[in-house]
Amino acid sequence: MKVYQGKTVDEALKLASEELQKPIEELIYSVEDKKIGIFNKRYVVDVYELSDIIAYAEDYILRVIDSFGIESSVKTVLDDDLIRITIDSTHNPILIGNNGSTLRALNELVKVAVSNHFRRHFRILLDINGYKEKKYFKLHKMARRLAHEVQKTKTTYTFDAMPADERRVIHNACSGMPNIKTESTGDGAHRQVQIIYVE
């Protein structure tokens, strides 16, 4: 984190933009005003690097898991704008939960905590012992198989509700297949993917 000051917020942000060589709209920052003397006021802008966001997310998830009495470690890689955090613990199956339910809850918890702290949305994906990658592989195969069925029967197939990252796998798996399109329907936790036949 770096700190910049100015008579106005714009002045402080301009200084940060020039030093970091980034457009102001790409900066991740928080603002506070600071009085100097009786009449003078300075604005203090805390500018965060992506490494600050990653460190916060890692620390948060480790503290949450530690509260369960489970020892764990994390490793993070950046995949474009996606922060991938891989967890390894003494009780991986417990943290994954039934059909990945506990892992999804932990993922949502970390995303909300990071977004609230930095006042900006970040794409964060938690994985444990390659669970997500294995699930993506199975979903991809299933989506292709079901899309071929839809091509034959011309009957729409609707998946059970699933999180955004898994829906994306379905969309990508079916992309470019003849006479097939995919759509997401529903809201929030009830959002589903449909494989639809088109002439």
Side-chain angles (χ1 to χ4, degrees), residues 96-137:
I96 293 170
N98 183 31
N99 199 28
S101 57
T102 306
L103 181 58
R104 281 196 302 275
L106 289 170
N107 205 142
E108 194 59 32
L109 197 62
V110 173
K111 283 200 294 186
V112 169
V114 171
S115 295
N116 284 346
H117 185 77
F118 295 100
R119 297 175 187 175
R120 184 165 164 180
H121 174 74
F122 295 93
R123 289 181 63 214
I124 298 173
L125 179 67
L126 297 187
D127 197 3
I128 296 176
N129 200 27
Y131 172 82
K132 276 289 187 183
E133 288 305 320
K134 291 169 190 168
K135 186 153 193 180
Y136 291 163
F137 180 74

Side-chain angles (χ1 to χ4, degrees), residues 53 65 71 73 80-81 95 100 115 127 151-152 184 187 194:
I53 285 88
I65 295 172
E71 291 182 20
S73 61
D80 291 327
D81 64 338
L95 295 179
S115 295
D127 197 3
Q151 285 174 328
K152 292 174 188 173
S184 289
D187 297 311
Q194 291 184 320

